Amino acid sequence: MIDEIIKLFFVLLLADVAFMITRRNIRSLFLIYAVQSFLISIIAFVLYLQEKNSVLLLLSLLTIVSKSFIIPYMMHRLQKKINLDMEFKYFTPTSSMFISILLLILIYSVFSKLLSPYSSNSIFILGSVIGISLVFMGMMIMLSRKKAIVKTLGYLTMENGVLLFGLFLSEIPFIIEVLITLDLIMVAVLSALFAFGVDSTIEEFHSRLNPLKWFEEAKK
Amino acid sequence: MIIAFLIISFFALSLIAFARSHKLMNWASIINSVSYITLSIYLYNKLSLPVYYFENRFFFIDALSIFSIFLSSAVFLFSAIYARGYVESLVKTREMNSTNIKLFYLSFNLLSLTVTYCFLSNNLALFWIFIELTTLFCALLIAVLNAKENILAALKYIFITSSAMIFTFLGLILIFTMVHQITGSGSLNLDVLREAAQKFPAKLSVISFTFLLIGFFAKSGIVPFHSWMPHSYSKAPSAISAIMSGAISFAGMYGILRVLPIAKNTQSFNSISLIMIIFGVLSIGIASLTMIARRNVKKLMGFSSVESMGFVLVALALGTKSAIYYALLFLFFHSLTKVLLFLSAGIMHIQYGTIHANKMNDVLKLQRLASIGMVAGSISVIGLPLFPLFLPKLYMLAEIGKFSSLLLFSILIFLLMSASSFVIFLSKMFSNDIILEKANDRFIVPFTMNFAIISLIIILLFSGILYPGLINNFVKAAAGCLV
């Protein structure tokens, strides 16, 4: 039963990435990213119900709070200030989708054999394969899109892919897992800040970076 | 003892956070680097290495960590001394806002702290975390200047290195899984990995190590993950380009150095070695071909770093004791040479408002010391005698020759091309007879900037003459950690 639920979420996750690859509207991309992170946190939660490993529960909570709410909200706020909306891309949606499907097939054929000695359960192999595919699809978004903020979303998708891969394949110590997640979030937040900095004035950008301004804002 | 570095940085950072004058922030940075150097020498003499810390052995100190901390702290020290006059000049020329000075020094010292803890990590996942943090602070330091191009350069740096580091993380998860199956409890500690590596399945270990190396390749500027390097080096403040070239790309190479003994213990080292040789030769080749047409001095240095890192990668791929020893010596002096070149280029930039050789005139008359620094640095980086890169380069080539004469021949041709690029660049810079519309006023170089350059020239010359001199035992001990 639980395996079936996880498989359903895999399908939803792939559909979500397909939307991300094909959409042009930047605002809807933030929502798609939030949904993607939400789906991964649900998968982590379902795995927690199955394995009763509290690390999975904490990871699920960390993902949902940081990636489904904080990061998309922060990006949405910055986007409203700068008023970015549409973005043009190098690849057409059809070619992007075609490449993604090819990637998925290739990764499945290579990794399903290599990883089979490490898990008897096919769902774990499938989860790992989808995780790696997500990494490559995120990379494709980074390479094919022009706007820096959309590239950041590609990076965040890669990060989600690695999280999914880790969820299914290994039990890295909790402290390391949390540190890695925090580290990735920090890089993502900074790159988002920079990505908007490209489209804002240099004064505005530096005022967001400057620690003196943080103190001033805190005082207010 | 491992906490001592954190305590030193805590004091330095607190001082900077509350300081009101640039002078105090600069002194805090200098003292931070000097303390790191002193502490690393003390630890080297006092401890019987290696020493592991905490129950989980996540941190350790061995000769290679001390060697790396010593090198990176020296790079930070020269840059901090130089920054005193340099930052003030940038503020005067309005390339940097005075309100950003604090951000500059905070990031500068946090970068020094994180790169130091990279070298103290016995756990590959922890190393990954610290090296990712260096990306963060480097990006802040690139974006600190008042130009949109700097934000773009910082973004390019983050995107390329961080997405490559995600592949490294995939590699880590795969390695963790293999160790888990072999030992029953997973670990990414270097000592555990070395022992478990013999039982890694061949095919999966090739894929895991390839993924693992991608991030380190990007950090050290190996082709095809190098494109951020010339771009970021040319846009970052020169003191930061010096650090990125001397300490941060070294940290990437340090990751490869640490992975090397593990990879050597696997059954598939030949395949991993071949991958390293292919990427190394590609780096040397593409960088040498690109360098010829470069007139932007910092871009030239950037491509030269790509070429040098490729050269070191090929030597490391051979995995012999001698190749590793000379690669470490090469990395040490290469870092100091690049610092000298970038610091000299910084003076040229303030003098002319540009770093294009075609737009500089009367270089020797206006900036004699920086010109000497550029010439000395170029001679050193080419690897001519009397400078300390000559012998490591020669011996590394000899090691490559033992492996394959065809490989040696192709690398020699590329090295010759890269040497020609420096000659062409210098001759262009010194023989420019352009008449500028407005005559350049001579930029009076502050004492601290000159001091950093003079010290580096003296150190490089003495090291070349007394080669390998004082650091011989130090390097031998560091290389011993990898064999």
Side-chain angles (χ1 to χ4, degrees):
Chain A
M1 175 65 183
I2 283 187
D3 282 6
E4 297 305 313
I5 296 173
I6 292 177
K7 273 184 192 164
L8 175 72
F9 281 110
F10 284 163
V11 176
L12 290 173
L13 199 58
L14 287 175
D16 181 280
V17 186
F19 268 118
M20 189 175 259
I21 289 169
T22 49
R23 295 294 287 183
R24 256 177 64 183
N25 184 312
I26 289 176
R27 260 180 296 178
S28 65
L29 285 175
F30 297 150
L31 182 67
I32 293 169
Y33 171 69
V35 172
Q36 186 191 94
S37 308
F38 177 74
L39 288 171
I40 289 176
S41 69
I42 296 286
I43 292 173
F45 184 72
V46 174
L47 283 176
Y48 160 73
L49 292 179
Q50 193 178 26
E51 296 183 15
K52 301 287 177 223
N53 182 350
S54 54
V55 173
L56 292 168
L57 179 67
L58 283 164
L59 269 179
S60 164
L61 286 173
L62 192 66
T63 308
I64 204 159
V65 172
S66 61
K67 295 182 186 170
S68 285
F69 293 104
I70 299 177
I71 293 181
Y73 173 73
M74 186 201 81
M75 286 186 160
H76 181 71
R77 259 190 66 182
L78 284 169
Q79 185 254 347
K80 260 168 79 180
K81 272 192 184 172
I82 294 153
N83 210 14
L84 275 176
D85 200 6
M86 301 301 260
E87 97 111 11
F88 299 92
K89 44 193 173 285
Y90 298 133
F91 289 159
T92 61
T94 329
S95 54
S96 302
M97 278 302 288
F98 182 68
I99 295 170
S100 306
I101 293 165
L102 276 183
L103 273 175
L104 193 65
I105 295 169
L106 186 75
I107 291 164
Y108 185 80
S109 59
V110 173
F111 281 90
S112 58
K113 275 183 205 156
L114 282 173
L115 296 176
S116 56
Y118 297 96
S119 179
S120 49
N121 191 343
S122 67
I123 198 84
F124 280 78
I125 306 290
L126 193 61
S128 317
V129 167
I130 292 181
I132 300 181
S133 309
L134 225 58
V135 171
F136 278 94
M137 286 176 195
M139 193 178 76
M140 206 187 68
I141 293 172
M142 285 186 81
L143 294 175
S144 64
R145 300 299 188 103
K146 209 171 177 182
K147 280 263 180 247
I149 190 62
V150 187
K151 283 179 187 283
T152 308
L153 284 171
Y155 173 73
L156 287 162
T157 304
M158 287 180 80
E159 193 200 315
N160 273 345
V162 89
L163 178 68
L164 192 68
F165 184 66
L167 278 180
F168 282 96
L169 205 65
S170 69
E171 297 154 12
I172 287 184
F174 177 65
I175 181 74
I176 298 271
E177 192 109 45
V178 170
L179 282 174
I180 284 169
T181 313
L182 289 176
D183 205 85
L184 288 169
I185 291 169
M186 275 160 69
V187 172
V189 168
L190 190 75
S191 51
L193 211 59
F194 280 19
F196 284 113
V198 174
D199 294 300
S200 64
T201 64
I202 197 89
E203 290 78 18
E204 233 183 310
F205 168 69
H206 278 153
S207 77
R208 281 203 200 99
L209 279 187
N210 205 317
L212 288 176
K213 295 279 164 83
W214 303 340
F215 289 130
E216 280 169 21
E217 278 183 22
K219 275 181 199 166
K220 281 177 196 170
Chain B
M1 284 321 266
I2 209 112
I3 306 290
F5 291 99
L6 188 65
I7 296 170
I8 293 170
S9 283
F10 175 77
F11 282 115
L13 288 166
S14 314
L15 202 60
I16 293 167
F18 293 105
R20 282 177 183 272
S21 73
H22 172 217
K23 196 175 165 184
L24 193 57
M25 291 185 222
N26 186 264
W27 268 115
S29 309
I30 292 174
I31 292 168
N32 188 55
S33 305
V34 172
S35 314
Y36 272 26
I37 292 174
T38 317
L39 185 60
S40 60
I41 295 171
Y42 171 77
L43 291 175
Y44 181 70
N45 291 314
K46 190 83 181 168
L47 299 177
S48 80
L49 303 169
V51 181
Y52 293 88
Y53 292 90
F54 306 117
E55 207 180 318
N56 49 28
R57 292 159 73 97
F58 277 176
F59 290 97
F60 77 147
I61 301 179
D62 70 354
L64 181 61
S65 358
I66 301 262
F67 169 82
S68 310
I69 294 171
F70 180 82
L71 172 60
S72 72
S73 306
V75 169
F76 273 92
L77 176 64
F78 286 116
S79 300
I81 295 170
Y82 180 86
R84 172 73 188 281
Y86 181 65
V87 169
E88 275 168 12
S89 310
L90 287 179
V91 172
K92 263 188 210 159
T93 52
R94 296 195 181 162
E95 285 183 72
M96 186 176 177
N97 283 342
S98 55
T99 47
N100 283 341
I101 295 178
K102 190 163 278 193
L103 176 69
F104 176 89
Y105 280 105
L106 285 174
S107 307
F108 186 96
N109 286 283
L110 282 167
L111 183 61
S112 156
L113 177 69
T114 45
V115 81
T116 300
Y117 274 88
C118 279
F119 304 138
L120 295 171
S121 304
N122 181 37
N123 183 290
L124 273 182
L126 264 188
F127 177 77
W128 185 93
I129 291 167
F130 287 120
I131 208 158
E132 264 291 85
L133 283 174
T134 63
T135 305
L136 209 78
F137 298 121
C138 275
L140 277 170
L141 286 164
I142 297 171
V144 85
L145 295 184
N146 290 338
K148 277 267 172 85
E149 292 84 20
N150 281 61
I151 309 176
L152 285 170
L155 260 178
K156 192 171 184 179
Y157 175 59
I158 296 182
F159 284 148
I160 294 176
T161 53
S162 292
S163 47
M165 285 307 282
I166 287 209
F167 284 98
T168 298
F169 191 45
L170 279 183
L172 287 182
I173 295 174
L174 285 171
I175 289 176
F176 185 89
T177 311
M178 290 192 287
V179 177
H180 193 272
Q181 207 185 41
I182 293 163
T183 62
S185 62
S187 173
L188 284 171
N189 285 3
L190 294 168
D191 47 333
V192 177
L193 291 182
R194 263 198 202 200
E195 285 185 18
Q198 289 157 351
K199 293 178 187 162
F200 285 175
K203 273 187 190 168
L204 194 58
S205 55
V206 174
I207 293 187
S208 311
F209 280 94
T210 309
F211 275 160
L212 194 66
L213 288 173
I214 287 177
F216 301 148
F217 281 179
K219 267 300 206 184
S220 44
I222 297 292
V223 170
F225 313 100
H226 68 293
S227 60
W228 63 269
M229 208 178 221
H231 197 202
S232 303
Y233 284 7
S234 68
K235 296 296 169 203
S238 291
I240 302 309
S241 311
I243 287 174
M244 288 177 78
S245 172
I248 307 304
S249 59
F250 172 77
M253 208 33 96
Y254 174 90
I256 299 170
L257 284 168
R258 285 297 185 193
V259 168
L260 192 68
I262 306 167
K264 265 173 83 178
N265 281 355
T266 61
Q267 300 154 19
S268 46
F269 180 62
N270 285 345
S271 314
I272 299 167
S273 165
L274 184 67
I275 292 170
M276 286 167 73
I277 291 175
I278 292 171
F279 279 100
V281 174
L282 266 177
S283 306
I284 306 172
I286 290 178
S288 316
L289 290 170
T290 323
M291 279 165 77
I292 295 223
R294 296 278 82 82
R295 295 293 172 266
N296 175 323
V297 53
K298 282 162 90 180
K299 276 197 177 166
L300 180 74
M301 307 307 164
F303 281 108
S304 157
S305 288
V306 175
E307 178 241 39
S308 301
M309 290 298 141
F311 184 52
V312 172
L313 188 66
V314 174
L316 291 179
L318 304 178
T320 63
K321 197 175 169 183
S322 163
I324 292 172
Y325 168 79
Y326 287 110
L328 279 179
L329 261 179
F330 182 91
L331 282 169
F332 187 89
F333 291 116
H334 172 262
S335 288
L336 295 184
T337 303
K338 280 288 153 67
V339 174
L340 170 64
L341 282 166
F342 277 113
L343 298 190
S344 307
I347 294 178
M348 296 297 186
H349 172 72
I350 295 176
Q351 172 66 57
Y352 296 100
T354 175
I355 38 176
H356 280 267
N358 297 346
K359 292 173 187 164
M360 297 177 188
N361 65 341
D362 290 337
V363 183
L364 263 176
K365 194 173 142 198
L366 291 171
Q367 291 305 335
R368 185 162 298 163
L369 184 66
S371 310
I372 295 170
M374 294 285 285
V375 175
S378 303
I379 293 174
S380 177
V381 94
I382 290 171
L384 293 183
L386 280 190
F387 279 90
L389 281 178
F390 169 63
L391 283 172
K393 218 168 186 172
L394 191 68
Y395 285 116
M396 281 156 80
L397 284 169
E399 285 294 312
I400 294 169
K402 277 184 210 164
F403 176 76
S404 153
S405 2
L406 184 67
L407 186 63
L408 174 70
F409 182 69
S410 46
I411 289 178
L412 271 175
I413 290 181
F414 289 137
L415 290 183
L416 196 66
M417 284 171 74
S418 113
S420 323
S421 314
F422 275 97
V423 175
I424 295 169
F425 177 85
L426 287 177
S427 55
K428 185 80 200 162
M429 194 173 93
F430 287 114
S431 62
N432 252 347
D433 51 2
I434 50 163
I435 300 162
L436 299 175
E437 281 176 22
K438 191 181 141 200
N440 277 308
D441 293 332
R442 186 167 174 264
F443 163 57
I444 309 292
V445 183
F447 169 73
T448 55
M449 292 169 82
N450 279 338
F451 178 78
I453 290 174
I454 293 171
S455 316
L456 278 162
I457 295 175
I458 293 172
I459 289 172
L460 285 174
L461 265 174
F462 267 89
S463 310
I465 295 164
L466 302 172
Y467 178 89
L470 294 172
I471 66 158
N472 188 28
N473 287 336
F474 198 21
V475 179
K476 265 188 186 161
C481 302
L482 301 169
V483 182

